[in-house]
Amino acid sequence: MRINNISTHVMYNYNRQTLMQQKKDFLEANYELVNGRVPDIGLALGGKIGRFLNIENQQSLLNELKITNGLIAERMAAGQIAIKSLVYAPRSNESEPEGALVRFNKILLGASSGKATSRSLTKEAQLALDVFVSALNTNIDGEFVFGGANTNEPPLTYYKAGSDEGASKIVRDEFRGYFGFSPDDSAAASITKEQMQEFIDGPFSDLFEDPSWGINFSKADDIPQRNSISPDGVVVDTSVSANKDAFRQAMKSLILVAEFSEAGLSEDAVAAVEEGARNSSSASIGSAINKISIVSSHLGSLENRIQSATEQIESQLTLLQDLRMRFIGIDQNEAAARLEEIKLMIAVSNGLTVQISRLSLVNYLSVR
């Protein structure tokens, strides 16, 4: 019987290679336990990799839609808050402040019964104008909610009545062109109620129609921004335009009162101004409030559609994730048990390595 020579060097190297493999197995098992999936997808799936990548592509598309819908929902919510600051009418048991247009309308209605002076009315009109412009210039991350398709710049500019600057100069120039003198001129006291009504219904109203509105007041686009909100390709309006008649009418009413209620006009002419803002079919602040409330309802409807689409996307993502994990998922309990087994084997291998390294023929030589 012949016994092959086996050196401690060979045994040591063999055990070291085994230990290296065990450490590699340990890392793989630990990865599976922590991440719940196989570490090398290509190796695990082989020819099924194409189907797996298709699932991941669908997930990527749906996640992009979900993110977009989230941003759209933020814009819609910001738009609702802006509109609420204008037309909210709290109930008697609510403590929230009423909207700026609602407040102004109450004061305007009070002016007809002598409860408000022209000065206070002018002041309230300017305050309401400030809130109005600020609300319609609402933006989320630099995208302006009421800009229509033009979401890159604020739709309205600050309006200071009586300043003869910007849009105020346009309005006062129209008055000067029609009457031949400025609203502050002493001659303005001779303007009759009928003459003022003709100015309001004619040149003044024309300022708030196209093309003047787009040139002098608004940078918004008539066409709203549109986005796809579902994988089925459903496209909806995702912005509102400050060019809507509701907003034009509100601004027209506020400017009318802010510019001319406290000017040097006759009492009859001032009465025409207040009546125009109160009762006119084209400049009534009450009518504007109702129309803006309809815009708010439309926004609410869009919010519901976006929420429904997002919920559908989340359901699809859940299904796709389940399908994805069928390809690459592992039993984490099994991975944990395998990890413990590998730890034990590594400990045994380390022990053997130490013992082999200590083997020497010197230990078996007798000393004489």
Side-chain angles (χ1 to χ4, degrees), residues 105-174:
N105 192 44
K106 286 183 178 179
I107 295 171
L108 183 62
L109 294 173
S112 63
S113 57
K115 294 180 180 179
T117 64
S118 293
R119 174 167 294 187
S120 65
L121 197 58
T122 300
K123 180 182 177 181
E124 289 295 335
Q126 182 63 60
L127 288 173
L129 254 178
D130 294 345
V131 175
F132 179 82
V133 172
S134 178
L136 265 65
N137 285 345
T138 294
N139 76 90
I140 295 293
D141 296 329
E143 291 197 353
F144 291 88
V145 177
F146 295 92
N150 181 18
T151 60
N152 297 322
E153 57 183 335
L156 303 179
T157 55
Y158 176 70
Y159 189 102
K160 176 60 178 175
S163 66
D164 253 332
E165 296 178 356
S168 175
K169 185 178 187 305
I170 301 296
V171 173
R172 295 171 77 83
D173 282 348
E174 199 68 33

Side-chain angles (χ1 to χ4, degrees), residues 73 85 176 214 223 268 287 301 311 344:
S85 72
R176 282 187 281 263
I223 301 172
D268 285 346
S287 174
S301 176
E311 289 173 354
L344 180 60

Side-chain angles (χ1 to χ4, degrees), residues 58 66 78 82 99 137 171 187 198 223 229 232 236 257 261 266 269 294 297 346 357:
Q58 291 182 60
K66 184 179 177 181
N137 285 345
V171 173
E198 288 175 0
I223 301 172
I229 62 170
D232 301 330
V236 298
V257 175
S261 185
S266 66
I294 293 173
S297 296
I346 290 174
S357 67

Side-chain angles (χ1 to χ4, degrees), residues 165-225:
E165 296 178 356
S168 175
K169 185 178 187 305
I170 301 296
V171 173
R172 295 171 77 83
D173 282 348
E174 199 68 33
F175 183 95
R176 282 187 281 263
Y178 187 79
F179 290 108
F181 45 80
S182 69
D184 303 322
D185 194 283
S186 59
S190 64
I191 297 175
T192 66
K193 184 176 183 179
E194 289 73 20
Q195 288 174 324
M196 194 64 194
Q197 286 174 334
E198 288 175 0
F199 169 72
I200 293 170
D201 294 338
F204 178 76
S205 291
D206 291 342
L207 289 174
F208 298 87
E209 301 294 333
D210 292 326
S212 174
W213 169 259
I215 296 172
N216 301 313
F217 296 100
S218 173
K219 295 178 182 178
D221 196 313
D222 289 341
I223 301 172
Q225 187 178 34

